[in-house]
Every structure is written in C-alpha cells, then in structure tokens.
Amino acid sequence: MRSARTSAGGTHAATPRRRTSRDEATGARTIAPFVAAILAGALMPIMDTTIVAIGMQAIITAFAAAVSVAQWVTTAYLLALAVMIPVSGWLQRRLGGRTLWLGGLIVFTAGSLLCALSPTIQVLIAARAVQGFGAGVLMTLLQTMPMQQARRAGVPLSGRLMGIISLPVAVGPIVAPVLGGMLLGVASWHWLFLINLPVGLAALAMAWRWVRPEDGRERDAPLDVAGLLLVGLGLVGVLVGTTNVAEAGGMGHADVLVPLVGGTVLLVAFAWWEARMRHPLVEVALLRGHVLAASVVAVFALGAAMYAGQFLLPLFWQGVRGTSVLDAALLLIPQGVGSLLARPAAGALTDRLGSRVVAAGAFTAVAVTTAPFAIWPASAGTAALLVVLFMRGVALGMLFIPVMTASYTGLAEPAIPDATMLTRLSQQMGAAVGTALAAVVLEAAATSTGDQAAAFGRAFWAAVALALVGAAVSLRLPARGPAEIEGSTPGADVHARS
C-alpha cells in the first residue's frame, strides 16, 4: 500500500512561479545562517572517525587491549551510525528537524564526554556507540535539512548548494590528522574526545539561534517497528560480516558468511516490507523514479570506490613505504586538499553540464589516479605519489557533488528525507563492500605471492575496477542540469531519461 507521503506529495516537485536571480539571491542570504549552524555541528562526527583512527594505537596501549577487541571502538560507532540513518527520518517527522538536530548534538557531545571518562575498553566501546547514535542523526540531517530549507526559501537544489553542504566532508580529512597528531603529541588519548565538548557547545548555541522550528510535523506518525528491526539487524549483519573479512582472512569463514548472508536477506526483506506499508520507515517506492534509483546505485559505487582506497592507502604507506601511522595520515592530506578545492568547480559544472557527464568523468579520473599505486614500483618517489593523491582528491571532490545532487532532482519537499536516507544507506553499504573487497584481494594476493608490494598492486586494481563500474553506472544519471529539470513544465516527467 502506498504511503501517505507518496500519495500526498508525490515524488515530483510542484512547479513554482518563475523566480528571478534576485529572488534566489535573497533566499540564499536568508538560509545562510541556518546552513552555517548545520555545517558547524556536522564537522564533529566527520572529523571524529579520522581522529580516533590516528589515536587507536594509543588507546590499545592505554587499555592493554587486543586489536580484535579494540577494533570495536570503530565498529560500534559505525554500526550505531548506520542504524540511526533510517530512524532519523521518522524522528524528524515526529519531533521536527530543529528538535532532532539539537538532540543529535547533545547525544554526540555527551557520548564524547563518556568516551573520555571511560575506565575500560568495554565502556569505551559502549560510549562510542552512543556517539554513533548522535552521529547518525547529524549525518542524515546534514543533507536533509539544508535541502528542505532551500526548497522553502526558493533556492534551487543545485550543485553549488550541495558543494556548500558537503564542505565538512572535505574539511574533515584535512584538519583531523593534524589535530589528532597535535593532541597526541601534547596530551593523552582522552583529548581525542574532549576536543568535541567546546565544538559541540558552540554548535548547540548556533543551532539554538539560527535553526528555527518548522511546520508540518506528524506528531502521530507511527513507527514501523518491523521495518526498523529488519533494516537494523540487516545493516548490523552486513557491516559485521564485512568487518570480519580482514580478520578472518577471506570470505570463506562462518563469522563472515553467516552475518553477511543473513544481513543481506534481511535487507531484501526490508525493501519488500516497506513497499507494502502505508507508513513505511523509508519510502522505498521512490526508487521507482529513474533519477533517484540511478543515484542510489551510483552512490553505492561511490562509497565502494572511495572507501576501498581509504582502506588501502594508509596501509600502503605503512606496509610498503615504511611510514608511521601518524605520518601515513599526514601524507593523505593532499588528497583532502584536492577534494576541498574541487568542490566549487564541481557544483558549477554539475549545474551547467548535468550529473551524468561530471560523474562519469570523475569516476574515470578516480580510476586513473588510483592506477599508479597499482603499477608504480615500491621505490617510486614520494613527491610523485603525493601529486597523484592530490589529483585523486580532485577527482573525488568532483564526484561527490553530481551524484548526491542528482538524488534530489525533481523531488517534492516531503520526499527529501527519504531520498537522503536511501542514499546514506547505499553509501554505507557501498563503503562496507568496497572495504571488504579490498581486504579480501589484499589478503589473498599476499598469501599467494608472498610479496607485499605485489599484493597491494592487485588490491589497488580492484579499487580501479570499482571506480570504472561507477563510471558505467553514472551514465544513467540525468544529462541535464538540476535547474533545467526543476523548471520543467507542469506534469512533465522529471524522472524521464534525457
């Protein structure tokens, strides 16, 4: 049965009167403080993952913990974050975006304090899960709320807007390694989490001032408990299975296959169940629209290609080039700088050329700039590798904008949270699959060849293949710019292939 959201609002945006550039400029100025408050709060969870990864050895030493136990400091955070993605849409409809955003900030900041005060590794893992619940809310609303606010203010849902919203994603990988290294150089691991307290309080003050309550809350919106259990357990199964791949040494082990297969079955059951619910947790019926369906698949490919590289590159610097963990993190900064610098151009090109051309070109560029790590000898100059990493960052920055912008093309405001949840879930799944594939190829190649450099070469070829698959998938994205599609005539099929 179709949900009230689909039947009431549809998947298409109503065509407003033709707005002038002055109207749009006024709308942009109106939402600027709102967007600034959202970006300030979203920076914490984005930086947190990188900072904790840098400090993991210090945490292992402090608690005298086994690596297999300490990895749950990261895994618990990612699992909680993933589970909160589908719940965030329901909570936003019931509580309102402002209340939920403030709640997410409070939970994440409180979780950070609990992490810093943890007396044992087990308590730290539980506190990281609390952080993850807050991060899941913040990361989902990071896209949803500015897009909704822009729609209300008459600002086009453009590539330029997506470029601004995604700034924390670009800034985090640049700032976090430096900040984490500085903190560990002068203080204990506790400050990896305590640093979030002043940032969280500042973000709360900004949100209280500039994020205003919105109309249209559904205070009696029922919670799809069965759907929540299916998607929650499914995500846990898939993420635990893929996390166990590297530790188990491949796919052919029970602690990999059982959660992975079980989780996949539950996610398929979730999609079937949601398509038949009157009040679904996530409006999967939106995937019947061509643009959103293509975007979700492209986002999956984006997550797989990006995270396969992020998994391999630090290990490559440490295992093949012999650098320390901190130095490996710092050597990845050029990639973050490239991603940050590319975003303005990515937004402008997406608006001008459409998502299809920009995404296909960016996926191809990611493949080309990943290939040198597969074919260059281990003795290749560091300067040349850093240049390639910078160009890879440019390609990733060019890629994120068109893929994410396409997912909102032609959607009415009530459908925006569902589109965000679908793309976020797809990206999480893609990241898990890409990381697992890279780990499997690396382990298998190392076992068969006994040559670490050759093993990394094969693993990087797998990452290249993932990027090329993404390039092929992106050919299903819109060929026109978002502004052209948003301005379609009444009744026009905004999801039509162009």
Side-chain angles (χ1 to χ4, degrees):
M1 183 179 297
R2 296 179 68 197
S3 76
R5 299 200 298 279
T6 300
S7 58
T11 63
H12 306 295
T15 303
R17 69 174 177 84
R18 177 68 64 179
R19 296 181 62 87
T20 66
S21 58
R22 179 176 295 180
D23 292 331
E24 294 173 359
T26 301
R29 287 194 298 271
T30 301
I31 69 170
F34 176 96
V35 173
I38 297 299
L39 296 184
L43 189 59
M44 287 191 301
I46 291 172
M47 291 181 57
D48 192 75
T49 302
T50 303
I51 287 180
V52 172
I54 291 173
M56 187 56 66
Q57 187 57 52
I59 291 172
I60 291 172
T61 301
F63 290 110
V67 174
S68 59
V69 174
Q71 74 168 354
W72 282 94
V73 172
T74 297
T75 302
Y77 176 85
L78 295 177
L79 288 175
L81 187 154
V83 169
M84 280 305 297
I85 291 173
V87 181
S88 296
W90 174 77
L91 287 173
Q92 184 184 7
R93 291 192 296 273
R94 192 174 182 91
L95 303 177
R98 181 178 190 267
T99 300
L100 183 58
W101 181 258
L102 293 172
L105 288 173
I106 291 171
V107 170
F108 186 88
T109 306
S112 299
L113 179 60
L114 292 175
C115 287
L117 299 177
S118 297
T120 66
I121 190 69
Q122 290 77 14
V123 174
L124 177 59
I125 291 169
R128 283 285 283 166
V130 174
Q131 265 194 319
F133 289 130
V137 169
L138 298 178
M139 293 303 294
T140 304
L141 296 185
L142 166 64
Q143 288 181 204
T144 298
M145 291 178 64
M147 286 293 183
Q148 289 178 309
Q149 192 74 7
R151 178 76 78 185
R152 297 182 193 119
V155 178
L157 306 189
S158 63
R160 289 181 178 87
L161 177 61
M162 181 57 70
I164 295 171
I165 294 171
S166 64
L167 273 177
V169 179
V171 173
I174 301 172
V175 177
V178 178
L179 180 60
M182 291 173 59
L183 288 172
L184 290 174
V186 299
S188 67
W189 65 268
H190 304 81
W191 284 93
L192 298 173
F193 302 103
L194 290 174
I195 191 65
N196 288 329
L197 300 187
V199 179
L201 293 175
L204 275 168
M206 293 175 69
W208 188 268
R209 173 68 178 84
W210 287 320
V211 178
R212 309 312 307 164
E214 70 274 23
D215 298 327
R217 281 181 284 175
E218 303 173 28
R219 297 184 185 276
D220 59 346
L223 176 62
D224 178 11
V225 178
L228 176 59
L229 291 174
L230 287 171
V231 71
L233 294 174
L235 288 170
V236 168
V238 170
L239 293 176
V240 168
T242 52
T243 299
N244 289 340
V245 166
E247 185 177 348
M251 297 290 293
H253 300 270
D255 58 350
V256 174
L257 291 176
V258 171
L260 190 58
V261 173
T264 301
V265 170
L266 289 174
L267 290 176
V268 172
F270 168 74
W272 176 86
W273 175 263
E274 294 297 284
R276 287 155 178 77
M277 287 294 293
R278 178 173 177 77
H279 297 284
L281 190 66
V282 180
E283 184 59 84
V284 298
L286 290 173
L287 292 174
R288 294 169 185 161
H290 163 66
V291 172
L292 182 57
S295 297
V296 167
V297 177
V299 168
F300 180 92
L302 165 63
M306 182 168 67
Y307 281 88
Q310 288 186 351
F311 170 78
L312 291 171
L313 285 168
L315 297 178
F316 167 81
W317 284 114
Q318 296 170 63
V320 177
R321 308 287 293 191
T323 65
S324 67
V325 175
L326 178 57
D327 287 343
L330 296 176
L331 286 167
L332 295 177
I333 289 179
Q335 180 173 265
V337 173
S339 178
L340 177 63
L341 295 178
R343 270 167 160 69
L349 286 174
T350 299
D351 292 339
R352 182 181 304 172
L353 303 177
S355 296
R356 181 185 302 172
V357 172
V358 180
F363 265 121
T364 303
V366 170
V368 170
T369 52
T370 303
F373 291 91
I375 60 179
W376 284 0
S379 58
T382 299
L385 291 174
L386 292 179
V387 171
V388 171
L389 273 179
F390 174 81
M391 297 306 299
R392 189 174 190 271
V394 171
L396 289 172
M398 294 293 293
L399 176 57
F400 187 89
I401 305 300
V403 171
M404 286 299 187
T405 302
S407 65
Y408 297 102
T409 300
L411 292 182
E413 183 187 323
I416 288 176
D418 294 282
T420 300
M421 288 185 287
L422 288 167
T423 53
R424 280 288 175 191
L425 288 171
S426 181
Q427 186 177 11
Q428 288 290 118
M429 297 297 296
V433 170
T435 302
L437 177 62
V440 168
V441 174
L442 180 62
E443 181 70 25
T447 302
S448 63
T449 65
D451 184 338
Q452 194 172 36
F456 271 97
R458 294 186 185 181
F460 277 117
W461 279 126
V464 170
L466 289 173
L468 292 176
V469 169
V473 169
S474 63
L475 296 178
R476 306 295 293 177
L477 295 176
R480 292 178 290 165
E484 295 179 78
I485 298 177
E486 295 292 347
S488 300
T489 57
D493 182 5
V494 296
H495 296 295
R497 296 183 177 93
S498 50

